[in-house]
Amino acid sequence: MTTVQCLWTPSEKLKSFFEDQLSGKTIKLIFPEKGKDNIDLFPEIDKADILLGWRITPENLVKATQCKMMLVPGHGVKKNVDLFKALGIDHKINLVNSHGNALATAQHTLAILFTLSNRTNFYHQLMKNGGWRPTDKTGPTTLIHHKTVGLLGYGAINKRVHQLMQGFDVNFKILKRTLSSDDTKNGFYNSEALHEFLEAVDILIIGIPLTQSTKGLIGKKELKLLGKSSMLVNVSRGSIIKQKALFNALKKRQIAGAAIDVWYEYQPEPDKKGRKYPYKYPFHKLDNLVLSPHRGGSPLENPYRFEDVIDNLIRFAEGRPLKNIINLEREY
């Protein structure tokens, strides 16, 4: 019997999905009563073969002495990688992520891109305030047609973005960390050609993991290379773009605009009015930015996004090779 300790309390609908999908399998799911990382909520964690969830405390991870795999139902694993290394257990437990939210995140990528290019937020607010049929000079749409879209990273999310944008008659440039012979034939860029890649694109979509080598990858110089007519979308991790450089590039119109779903401070202190801003600089005062509160993977408990989680649970129970094992040295 394979024992799986869930690290959060799923909805009843999602619990039923797990039970239906795992019916007849030698897999036992244990759900906590509440959805907080607390040792008292996981009294059987020492018996778990698999930990399933986004985060875990160091105390709980140390207590999970029988664990062979931690399965994260999403893309981001940087904090878990750091924790595994700090505890020295990187050789004992497989850290595995999930690509099940790639389609939802790709859809959200296009949603915020087109909100930016069509100035949807601006006109929505204008009409709420009684503005009707203003001159187009107040904010014309930027046509995507014939633009060059740069996909920085070509994992599950940007592959979906690539598919979804095929009908818009755009050109694509793709940068990957490592290239196969087919990639080279198709004109893909490698990481050493980042600056050349940035100069060649009109719209940059960032879809790479946060690692030591990608933190701060896009800074003042890189944003300037994009050019004044360029647009940028980030749905990966905020720290891939240097915060001050991004703010200044937008404020000074060194790039035309950005749509950002991922930020810099995930536990921001409220100001005197109770407002929480997940950044150091006043991004909310800019008029060429679409802000989104890290909800690209919504809905979080859609059974669709857990299909490859189910697949890996069954693979583990049957002794078959796992999918999406994280290389802790590369951090993805």
Side-chain angles (χ1 to χ4, degrees):
M1 178 66 70
T2 297
T3 301
V4 181
Q5 174 68 65
C6 284
L7 303 175
W8 88 108
T9 306
S11 66
E12 292 303 318
K13 180 180 179 181
L14 188 57
K15 285 183 182 179
S16 295
F17 172 77
F18 278 126
E19 290 164 358
D20 289 344
Q21 295 296 308
L22 298 174
S23 177
K25 305 295 182 181
T26 56
I27 299 174
K28 176 185 177 183
L29 293 170
I30 302 175
F31 302 108
E33 293 183 4
K34 299 179 181 179
K36 296 181 180 180
D37 292 333
N38 186 303
I39 289 177
D40 294 336
L41 300 179
F42 309 125
E44 299 181 75
I45 199 169
D46 59 325
K47 301 173 184 176
D49 301 297
I50 298 172
L51 302 175
L52 174 59
W54 288 268
R55 295 182 182 86
I56 188 169
T57 62
E59 294 83 1
N60 278 320
L61 190 54
V62 169
K63 194 175 180 182
T65 53
Q66 289 189 190
C67 179
K68 298 294 187 297
M69 173 173 70
M70 180 171 175
L71 180 49
V72 179
H75 285 84
V77 293
K78 181 66 169 69
K79 290 184 178 180
N80 294 311
V81 168
D82 293 343
L83 179 58
F84 274 44
K85 289 182 176 180
L87 294 178
I89 59 170
D90 43 298
H91 61 290
K92 298 178 181 178
I93 302 175
N94 281 317
L95 180 61
V96 178
N97 73 349
S98 164
H99 298 165
N101 62 336
L103 180 59
T105 305
Q107 176 179 313
H108 191 70
T109 301
L110 268 61
I112 59 176
L113 169 61
F114 293 136
T115 298
L116 175 67
S117 66
N118 290 39
R119 301 210 64 192
T120 309
N121 283 354
F122 171 81
Y123 286 107
H124 170 79
Q125 192 61 45
L126 189 73
M127 286 196 69
K128 285 186 70 173
N129 294 330
W132 172 239
R133 298 303 302 271
T135 171
D136 206 35
K137 293 180 181 179
T138 58
T141 291
T142 299
L143 292 178
I144 301 298
H145 181 68
H146 284 178
K147 296 289 187 184
T148 298
V149 177
L151 302 177
L152 179 55
Y154 202 56
I157 293 172
N158 265 349
K159 284 180 181 177
R160 286 287 197 175
V161 170
H162 194 182
Q163 293 172 346
L164 292 174
M165 292 194 76
Q166 292 288 347
F168 287 95
D169 198 15
V170 294
N171 304 307
F172 290 96
K173 302 286 186 181
I174 299 170
L175 186 146
K176 295 174 62 179
R177 181 172 179 172
T178 55
L179 301 181
S180 66
S181 57
D182 287 340
D183 294 334
T184 303
K185 292 176 185 176
N186 291 326
F188 286 20
Y189 295 75
N190 65 18
S191 55
E192 295 178 358
L194 174 63
H195 288 177
E196 179 186 350
F197 166 78
L198 294 174
E199 287 183 300
V201 306
D202 304 304
I203 300 168
L204 176 65
I205 298 176
I206 300 176
I208 55 177
L210 177 62
T211 67
Q212 289 300 317
S213 62
T214 64
K215 185 176 182 179
L217 181 68
I218 305 298
K220 180 178 179 180
K221 182 176 182 178
E222 288 72 27
L223 291 166
K224 191 172 182 179
L225 287 171
L226 283 173
K228 293 184 177 181
S229 62
S230 67
M231 294 184 291
L232 178 156
V233 181
N234 188 8
V235 292
S236 50
R237 287 295 181 267
S239 297
I240 290 168
I241 309 175
K242 292 180 180 178
Q243 183 175 179
K244 183 177 180 180
L246 175 61
F247 179 79
N248 286 336
L250 289 165
K251 184 177 180 180
K252 296 176 182 180
R253 307 282 175 173
Q254 293 173 344
I255 62 175
I260 308 295
D261 186 49
V262 286
W263 296 97
Y264 300 94
E265 175 56 64
Y266 276 68
Q267 293 181 329
E269 291 294 326
D271 65 13
K272 293 180 180 179
K273 295 183 179 180
R275 299 172 300 188
K276 296 181 180 180
Y277 296 116
Y279 37 71
K280 179 179 178 181
Y281 299 92
F283 284 95
H284 54 281
K285 295 183 178 181
L286 301 173
D287 64 0
N288 56 346
L289 175 65
V290 173
L291 302 97
S292 176
H294 200 159
R295 56 181 308 275
S298 176
L300 293 178
E301 291 206 346
N302 186 337
Y304 174 82
R305 70 174 289 166
F306 287 91
E307 288 180 353
D308 64 342
V309 169
I310 296 294
D311 185 24
N312 258 335
L313 292 177
I314 294 173
R315 284 170 177 264
F316 181 96
E318 295 179 350
R320 295 189 285 123
L322 302 172
K323 298 191 304 184
N324 307 327
I325 296 176
I326 300 299
N327 182 314
L328 295 178
E329 292 302 316
R330 293 185 304 183
E331 302 183 285
Y332 69 92

